[in-house]
């Protein structure tokens, strides 16, 4: 899974680089659009064609435009939170889906192997099955010679280890969920400070002086909230998946202890 996470992070870095290049390209396009607007009086027909193209701007292009207007350097930090958060979330989703097993079938296979071939046959079934439940079963079966109580303690202890593996790196996703809107609010404060600096320098309450700073403030806040909303959806799915697997682990542990008690009689 570390290799999968590394691939996701590398892909995220490449995507961020591509977006930076696209942002620079969009800036050049914005300069060209300004030049076209300057010659609007001399070429009315060309201006009308440009307006038609502008109306047909796609959602992606509009998003890039707003991203640049919000300040590519500051907004890049918010975007980085999204990319890293998604990379960790996707890695966790893949790991949790691979960790999910049919516990009822596993319990039945282990009990059949236990009755037919003994402890070693049951351990072979666990070795050939992936997931935390199979690992817990193996630890319990490996300690059964020391008594059912020892097997139960091993199951409980190893269950805690498996739970820690399931929850690994999830706290980073929650960190990015909290960090993205905070960065957006920081952009809001910076934009408002810039607006008041312009008012102070001009000595006049001209709306055109403060419009740019307020616009930057609003855009950074919006993008920060969007990032937090996207990551929150993934985070809730991951938590629900972990809870489901943990419940399966607890039910399977009780089933294993009952199975071992019957076997020892």
């Amino acid at each position: 899974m570390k290799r999968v996470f590394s691939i996701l992070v590398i892909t995220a870095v490449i995507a961020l680089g591509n977006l930076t290049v696209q942002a620079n390209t969009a800036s050049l396009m914005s300069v060209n659009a300004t030049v076209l607007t300057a010659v609007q009086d001399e070429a009315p027909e060309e201006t009308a064609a440009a307006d038609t193209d502008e109306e047909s701007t796609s959602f992606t292009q509009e998003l890039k435009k707003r991203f640049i207007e919000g300040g590519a350097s500051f907004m890049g930090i918010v975007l980085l939170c999204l990319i890293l958060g998604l990379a960790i979330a996707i890695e966790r989703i893949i790991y949790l889906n691979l960790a999910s097993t049919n516990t009822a079938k596993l319990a039945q296979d282990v009990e059949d192997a236990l009755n037919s071939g003994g402890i070693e046959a049951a351990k072979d079934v666990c070795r050939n099955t992936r997931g935390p439940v199979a690992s817990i079963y193996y630890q319990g079966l490996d300690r059964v010679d020391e008594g059912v109580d020892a097997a139960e303690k091993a199951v409980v202890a190893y269950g805690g280890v498996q739970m820690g593996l399931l929850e690994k790196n999830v706290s980073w996703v929650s960190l990015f969920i909290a960090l993205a809107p905070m960065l957006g609010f920081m952009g809001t404060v910076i934009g408002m400070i810039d607006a008041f600096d312009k008012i102070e320098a001009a000595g006049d309450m001209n709306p055109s002086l403060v419009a740019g700073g307020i616009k930057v403030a609003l855009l950074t806040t919006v993008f920060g909230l969007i990032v937090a909303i996207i990551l929150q959806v993934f985070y809730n799915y991951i938590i629900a998946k972990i809870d489901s697997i943990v419940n399966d682990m607890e039910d399977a542990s009780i089933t294993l202890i009952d199975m071992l008690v019957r076997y020892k009689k």
Side-chain angles (χ1 to χ4, degrees), residues 179-214:
L179 194 60
M182 290 173 65
L183 289 171
F185 295 145
M186 182 184 294
T188 300
V189 175
I190 292 174
M192 297 302 295
I193 291 173
D194 181 63
F196 284 112
D197 284 342
K198 290 180 179 180
I199 294 174
E200 183 181 8
D204 184 18
M205 189 63 180
N206 190 343
S208 62
L209 294 175
V210 299
I214 295 175

Side-chain angles (χ1 to χ4, degrees), residues 23-43:
N24 294 331
T25 304
S27 298
L28 294 175
M29 293 175 63
S30 177
V31 172
N32 293 334
T34 304
V35 174
L36 290 174
T37 303
V39 298
Q40 181 177 2
D41 295 335
E42 299 178 1

Side-chain angles (χ1 to χ4, degrees), residues 47 49 53 56 75 81 98 100 106 115 150 154 163 175 180 192 198 202 223 246 251:
T47 303
D53 293 338
S56 61
M75 296 282 280
C81 290
L98 292 176
S100 300
L106 175 62
N115 293 330
M163 188 180 301
L175 171 64
M192 297 302 295
K198 290 180 179 180
F223 272 85
V246 169
D251 292 340

Side-chain angles (χ1 to χ4, degrees), residues 3 5 37 40 42 50 59 76 80 138 150 215 233 236 244 249:
R3 183 177 300 174
F5 179 69
T37 303
Q40 181 177 2
E42 299 178 1
F59 174 77
L80 186 62
Y138 183 87
K215 185 177 183 180
V233 172
N236 284 4
S244 176
M249 289 166 53

